[in-house]
């Protein structure tokens, strides 16, 4: 493919608009196509960046507050650092960047500025929607910029009207382990920012006969139960801070024990959590974008907790409709039946995957001419 380069535009809000972008980038690299991953928060005013940890902690403590925030439109243009963005656009223009994939609505304002700079030279951008309905960044964008998508291509993983999967972010490095080979374990988490009702389920799940892989967060203070594993993304890692090689990568994993913290270095091709999900019988979590991708890639069903925002509500409806997930309350009424988990696993395992890979479809759809190559 020559010196073609695709710029993947992510966001560090949670991990559902970040990890999928890294997986997409990995898919292109496996096909010999160069990529660069960028994170929106890197181009915000420093004062706004400094407040993100406070918001994350507040949403972790108070899920009602998080859900309220998801309903309030926000004009992100007030947070953009224009000097940093101009420097970024200068670099893009110098390299003649022409291909972009954005996982967050926040980037569209920046893409618009770049497209204006480049006219009449063509710029292609996929707007990659990783939820089955518009997430808050896209809803806010639509409120202030109703025709935002007209110059771009809407790339939807899911069909919200037909309740079906259009394409998926594949993770070839992981296999779909048969149910009989999985331990009687559940992965319990609250997404990248630890939001939701997952903590309330832990005491009951701990008595249900399953061992738990509990994703902990920095403020976790509960004593460690020896029946379970406690895992955490490294607290000194940040999505919008590049690593020593100047790249945005997957987070390192910490395993917490009474005696020590076992530190696992980040992987190059996938996130640690997907392997943990692939060895469990189910994921107990809110239906965020990253959790859906983990579920599909590993054929692991989701026990659906209360969603964050209307977009995750639609995700839950989709997974229930397809037979890939079940609401926590229904599973509890079944007596936490393993048979229900196996039925959903089989549905995931038997689904058609041929021709469903997003990166393959992108390569088939976006044909590169010499004008789109980096000199």
């Amino acid at each position: 493919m020559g010196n073609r380069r695709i710029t993947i535009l992510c966001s560090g809000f949670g991990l559902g608009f970040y990890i999928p972008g890294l997986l997409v980038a990995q898919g292109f690299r496996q096909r010999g196509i160069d990529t660069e991953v960028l994170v929106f928060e890197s181009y915000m005013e420093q004062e706004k960046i400094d407040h993100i940890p406070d918001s994350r902690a507040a949403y972790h403590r108070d899920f009602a507050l998080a859900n309220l925030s998801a309903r309030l439109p926000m004009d992100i243009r007030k947070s953009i650092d224009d000097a940093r963005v101009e420097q970024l656009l200068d670099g893009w223009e110098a390299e003649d960047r022409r291909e972009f994939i954005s996982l967050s609505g926040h980037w569209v304002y920046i893409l618009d500025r770049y497209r204006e700079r480049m006219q009449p030279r063509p710029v292609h951008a996929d707007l990659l929607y990783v939820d089955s309905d518009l997430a808050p960044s896209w809803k806010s964008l639509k409120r202030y910029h109703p025709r935002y998508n007209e110059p771009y291509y809407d790339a939807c993983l899911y069909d919200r009207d037909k309740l079906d999967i259009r394409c998926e972010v594949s993770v070839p490095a992981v296999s779909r382990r048969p149910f009989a080979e999985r331990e009687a374990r559940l992965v319990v988490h609250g997404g990248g920012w630890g939001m939701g009702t997952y903590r309330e389920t832990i005491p009951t799940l701990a008595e249900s006969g399953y061992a738990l892989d509990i994703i902990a967060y920095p403020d976790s203070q509960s004593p460690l139960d020896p029946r379970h594993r406690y895992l955490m993304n490294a607290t000194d890692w940040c999505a919008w801070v590049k690593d020593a090689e100047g790249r945005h990568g997957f987070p390192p994993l910490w395993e917490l024990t009474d005696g020590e913290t076992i530190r696992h270095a980040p992987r190059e091709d996938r996130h640690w959590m997907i392997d943990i999900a692939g060895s469990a019988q189910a994921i107990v979590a809110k239906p965020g974008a990253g959790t859906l991708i983990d579920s599909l890639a590993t054929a692991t069903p989701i026990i659906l907790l209360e969603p964050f925002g209307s977009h995750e509500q639609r995700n839950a409806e989709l997974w229930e409709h397809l037979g890939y997930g079940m609401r926590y309350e229904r599973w509890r009424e079944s007596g936490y039946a393993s048979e229900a988990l196996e039925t959903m696993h089989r549905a995931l395992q038997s689904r058609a995957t041929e021709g469903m890979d997003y990166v393959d479809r992108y390569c088939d759809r976006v044909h590169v001419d010499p004008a789109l190559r980096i000199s």
Side-chain angles (χ1 to χ4, degrees):
M1 301 301 292
N3 293 320
R4 180 183 187 184
R5 180 178 298 145
I6 301 174
T7 309
I8 315 291
L9 305 173
C10 301
S11 169
F13 183 90
L15 292 178
F17 309 105
Y18 176 77
I19 295 291
L22 295 184
L23 294 172
V24 167
Q26 177 67 14
F28 281 115
R29 287 195 294 270
Q30 288 172 342
R31 292 158 178 81
I33 301 172
D34 188 24
T35 63
E36 182 183 27
V37 173
L38 297 174
V39 180
F40 177 79
E41 285 74 9
S42 302
Y43 301 95
M44 292 172 60
E45 293 179 345
Q46 190 60 48
E47 180 185 0
K48 304 292 186 181
I49 296 172
D50 292 342
H51 285 149
I52 294 174
D54 295 334
S55 297
R56 179 169 49 205
Y59 296 164
H60 175 66
R61 290 192 307 267
D62 189 342
F63 192 44
L65 176 64
N67 267 313
L68 175 62
S69 75
R71 296 194 295 269
L72 299 176
M74 176 178 62
D75 188 348
I76 198 66
R77 287 172 292 188
K78 299 175 182 178
S79 300
I80 291 175
D81 186 318
D82 288 320
R84 291 182 187 179
V85 169
E86 285 302 305
Q87 186 177 19
L88 175 69
L89 299 185
D90 287 344
W92 286 355
E93 188 172 11
E95 293 186 7
D96 200 28
R97 298 270 183 113
R98 302 290 189 94
E99 287 185 85
F100 299 86
I101 297 172
S102 178
L103 285 81
S104 169
H106 296 335
W107 277 104
V108 173
Y109 294 114
I110 296 173
L111 284 171
D112 284 349
R113 288 163 63 170
Y114 184 60
R115 203 169 53 84
E116 289 174 8
R117 273 188 178 220
M118 294 293 283
Q119 288 180 352
R121 292 167 289 177
V123 171
H124 174 86
D126 263 23
L127 307 182
L128 179 56
Y129 304 97
V130 291
D131 293 284
S132 56
D133 202 357
L134 295 181
S137 73
W138 299 109
K139 283 187 175 177
S140 291
L141 176 64
K142 191 170 184 178
R143 167 73 178 272
Y144 296 106
H145 186 4
R147 300 166 64 181
Y148 72 88
N149 57 337
E150 287 186 358
Y152 309 115
Y153 182 86
D154 286 329
C156 304
L157 296 186
Y158 311 108
D159 189 320
R160 67 182 180 184
D161 297 320
K162 295 181 180 179
L163 287 175
D164 204 358
I165 298 173
R166 288 181 173 175
C167 59
E168 64 183 277
V169 176
S170 301
V171 192
V174 268
S175 60
R176 300 181 187 180
R177 187 179 300 184
F179 195 82
E181 296 179 9
R182 300 181 184 222
E183 299 177 56
R185 303 187 73 89
L186 307 171
V187 179
V188 186
H189 69 73
W193 278 18
M195 296 190 293
T197 58
Y198 69 99
R199 284 169 291 188
E200 288 89 327
T201 69
I202 291 172
T204 307
L205 291 173
E207 301 304 321
S208 66
Y210 294 90
L212 306 180
D213 287 332
I214 299 168
I215 309 308
Y217 298 90
D219 72 341
S220 300
Q221 297 178 348
S222 302
L224 304 184
D225 186 325
R227 294 174 297 176
H228 311 308
R229 289 196 301 176
Y230 296 83
L231 306 147
M232 176 188 290
N233 286 327
T235 58
D236 57 356
W237 175 87
C238 180
W240 51 90
V241 177
K242 293 180 179 180
D243 61 21
E245 298 179 4
R247 300 181 304 170
H248 294 286
F250 294 105
L253 181 74
W254 292 357
E255 187 172 345
L256 311 179
T257 69
D258 275 332
E260 62 176 328
T261 298
I262 303 169
R263 299 170 187 254
H264 301 279
R267 284 181 162 151
E268 285 290 320
D269 59 353
R270 65 194 188 276
H271 49 304
W272 279 101
M273 295 299 180
I274 201 166
D275 291 273
I276 295 162
S279 65
Q281 292 188 354
I283 304 166
V284 182
K286 64 184 188 63
T291 302
L292 302 192
I293 289 171
D294 291 351
S295 174
L296 288 178
T298 63
T300 305
I302 305 174
I303 298 301
L304 301 157
L305 300 180
E306 183 181 340
F308 167 64
S310 59
H311 60 298
E312 289 194 2
Q313 175 65 36
R314 294 301 295 267
N315 290 348
E317 293 167 2
L318 173 64
W319 244 238
E320 277 195 296
H321 175 78
L322 295 173
Y324 302 162
M326 176 183 291
R327 294 184 188 272
Y328 175 78
E329 294 76 13
R330 280 188 56 210
W331 191 51
R332 182 179 60 196
E333 290 169 4
S334 78
Y336 305 101
S338 178
E339 293 80 7
L341 304 182
E342 185 169 9
T343 297
M344 292 186 287
H345 161 78
R346 290 185 184 279
L348 283 157
Q349 191 80 293
S350 62
R351 69 187 180 85
T353 59
E354 187 72 26
M356 293 290 284
D357 184 80
Y358 166 72
V359 173
D360 282 342
R361 289 196 180 182
Y362 181 98
C363 292
D364 290 341
R365 174 169 44 84
V366 182
H367 298 286
V368 179
D369 58 46
L372 288 180
R373 297 181 187 275
I374 305 296
S375 59

